[in-house]
């Protein structure tokens, strides 16, 4: 419903409407400096969500600032999966142009220098077969979204899918 409203209100050129209609899931991402760079959705090795001995930390989502001039604070940004599991960046984390952060599972100490934020949760969030990654601005508007399947998106089957360069 929201997409129809946006199209009716803002798109006047028929060509633009056709282009947006062809890729509705990704139309919103180009208004955002921060985008989903890629995801290691299947942590290497056998998966275990044991906080001490498991490999949840090896599952990560990379978020990058694609703006050439604007620094963006991650505080208040939200990521969500297809089933509604969510993580909110509650602490300030400045991403300068070209800077990135890896949002890892498991428990650890966030570090700007190491470009890492931990979900502080040892359960996996990105499914090994398929999932959808939603990324929201603090205002609630969508910054980016990408769906993947192991069979269709991950040609080399290494558990990683790239969304943006
Ligand atoms: Ca695995
Ligand atoms: Ca999931
Ligand atoms: Ca891959």
């Amino acid at each position: 419903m929201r997409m129809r409203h946006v199209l009716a209100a803002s798109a006047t050129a028929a060509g633009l409407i056709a282009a947006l209609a062809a890729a509705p899931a990704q139309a919103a991402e180009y208004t955002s400096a921060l985008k989903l760079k890629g995801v290691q959705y299947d942590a290497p090795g056998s998966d275990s969500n044991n906080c001490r001995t498991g490999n949840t930390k090896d599952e990560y989502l990379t978020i990058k600032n694609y703006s050439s001039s604007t620094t963006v604070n991650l505080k208040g940004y939200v990521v969500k999966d297809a089933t509604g599991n969510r993580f909110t960046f509650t602490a300030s984390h400045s991403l300068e142009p070209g800077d990135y952060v890896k949002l890892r599972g498991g428990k650890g100490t966030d570090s700007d220098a190491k470009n890492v934020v931990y979900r502080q949760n040892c359960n996996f969030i990105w499914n090994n077969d398929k999932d959808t990654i939603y990324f929201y601005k603090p205002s609630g508007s969508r910054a980016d979204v990408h769906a993947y399947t192991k069979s269709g998106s991950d040609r080399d089957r290494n558990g990683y899918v790239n969304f943006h360069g």
Side-chain angles (χ1 to χ4, degrees):
M1 294 302 282
R2 185 171 171 277
M3 182 60 67
R4 283 200 196 98
H5 177 72
V6 169
L7 286 174
S10 65
T12 51
L16 178 59
I17 292 173
L20 289 174
Q26 303 195 5
E29 71 184 69
Y30 298 105
T31 64
S32 173
L34 302 190
K35 296 173 192 167
L36 306 174
K37 182 181 191 323
V39 65
Q40 184 75 45
Y41 63 92
D42 185 354
S46 315
D47 293 343
S48 161
N49 62 2
N50 184 297
C51 274
R52 283 186 303 106
T53 61
N55 63 337
T56 318
K57 284 181 181 173
D58 297 328
E59 184 199 68
Y60 63 86
L61 172 69
T62 303
I63 294 164
K64 183 176 172 181
N65 184 354
Y66 287 88
S67 166
S68 58
S69 56
T70 308
T71 295
V72 181
N73 191 337
L74 263 175
K75 186 173 183 176
Y77 274 76
V78 173
V79 297
K80 234 169 70 175
D81 73 356
T83 53
N85 297 302
R86 66 164 59 214
F87 172 85
T88 303
F89 289 90
T90 55
S92 284
H93 192 105
S94 284
L95 289 182
E96 288 143 27
D99 202 4
Y100 68 94
V101 68
K102 286 184 176 178
L103 176 62
R104 291 185 177 276
K107 299 186 176 178
T109 305
D110 298 352
S111 165
D112 271 356
K114 293 179 179 173
N115 302 313
V116 65
V117 171
Y118 291 91
R119 287 192 288 106
Q120 308 300 341
N121 185 321
C122 297
N123 291 318
F124 296 93
I125 184 168
W126 311 123
N127 292 28
N128 283 358
D129 56 346
K130 62 178 178 177
D131 215 331
T132 303
I133 304 173
Y134 299 90
F135 185 43
Y136 295 99
K137 298 178 183 184
S139 65
S141 66
R142 186 188 285 174
D144 200 3
V145 58
H146 288 278
Y148 65 83
T149 64
K150 182 156 208 137
S151 57
S153 316
D154 188 3
R155 290 181 66 183
D156 58 8
R157 299 287 199 276
N158 67 349
Y160 182 88
V161 173
N162 185 69
F163 300 127
H164 296 278

